Amino acid sequence: MVDLIVVGAGPAGVSAALYAQSRGLSVTMFEKNEVGGLIGKVSKVSHYTSIVVDEPGYKVKERMLNQLRAYNLEPLYEEVTKVTKTGDVFSVTTQKGCYTARTVVIACGSDPKELPIDTQGYSVSHWAYGCEKRVAGKVVVVNGGSDGAAKEALYMLPFAKEVHIVQNMDRLMCIPEFKRPLEASEKLHVHCSSTLKNVTVHDGRVVKVQLSDGEEIASDESIEIFAMIGQAPHTEFIDCDVPRNAAGFITCDVASPTDGLFIAGDVREKAVRQVATAVADGCLAGIAAAKCVASAK
């Protein structure tokens, strides 16, 4: 049995593990995909204090992984399927086995939502980095109007023939840092109060996108579609007393109603989902777990 199990190795989970270990706790981390979570996939990490300017997310991911290795905290790459508590002991079940701990931090983040339409076999993307050749000279449709969607659209503008942002708000709502260069580009087209309704696919290529307001975006070559319409959490594996909203996000503070169970990062219902808030949650959760273990001894 270890003092702490951390579920998820994104910014929140890494922060929790580092702070907890520094306070003497034995820590085991689990990650089902890759260290870094969603931040490792974005085209550019913005605004986080001390970040390298214009640095792509994969570079941040690499530094996080190197940091974990330096502290002998590299995660076990196993998907957690259940978390329960019996008495004072948590049981964490993965596809490979069952592990026990005195405390647990849930920092499993969230995944991008998929488009609620039939794409007829076409695979919609969520991240622009690495798609430079794919979008070169093509029409690109970005469904979503968040800061994240605007940032990915900006990244693709130099490569694409034109970029269309389709959003359900009545105006472009992203922050001025992204809005100004978007509006200054002749290659950028914004479709407000609308969303994707259906697509026309020929030989595996999208050639037409119909919007909910009746407008159409067409191309004789092909259209590449990116969806940035929100996040979906995966919290169904937690068999403990934690409140969730209708979407599955956990609605409590970092300290959950279950003693010794802490929640950190994007898996929480929160007003702001940024790497800064995830790291802050992780810091609080790691320190709280250390205090919890110390008080039980």
Side-chain angles (χ1 to χ4, degrees), residues 5 20-21 29 91 103 106 126 153 156 158 206 220 230 251 261 266 278 290 293-294:
I5 286 178
Q21 189 195 64
M29 297 184 70
S91 295
T103 58
I106 302 294
H126 299 288
M156 289 185 283
V206 176
D220 293 334
T251 58
L261 181 64
D266 286 359
V293 170

Side-chain angles (χ1 to χ4, degrees), residues 75-96:
L76 300 177
Y77 292 95
E78 303 176 25
E79 181 176 359
V80 173
T81 57
K82 194 169 188 178
V83 173
T84 60
K85 186 181 184 185
T86 302
D88 294 330
V89 178
F90 287 93
S91 295
V92 176
T93 304
T94 75
Q95 295 168 318
K96 296 183 179 180

Side-chain angles (χ1 to χ4, degrees), residues 43-44 128-132 150-159:
S43 59
K44 182 177 71 172
Y129 194 86
C131 294
E132 298 85 356
K151 184 161 56 175
E152 299 303 299
L154 266 175
Y155 181 79
M156 289 185 283
L157 270 177
F159 310 101

Side-chain angles (χ1 to χ4, degrees), residues 130-150:
C131 294
E132 298 85 356
K133 291 183 179 180
R134 177 179 168 185
V135 305
K138 295 182 181 179
V139 173
V140 172
V141 174
V142 178
N143 193 184
S146 65
D147 290 344

Side-chain angles (χ1 to χ4, degrees), residues 113-115 117-127 131 134-135 138 140-141 196 199-201 203-206 222-227:
K113 287 183 178 179
E114 301 296 337
L115 291 180
I117 63 173
D118 181 8
T119 58
Q120 303 173 44
Y122 172 81
S123 181
V124 174
S125 301
H126 299 288
W127 313 107
C131 294
R134 177 179 168 185
V135 305
K138 295 182 181 179
V140 172
V141 174
L196 274 64
V199 299
T200 301
V201 178
D203 298 326
R205 299 179 299 110
V206 176
S222 66
I223 300 171
E224 300 296 340
I225 302 175
F226 293 77

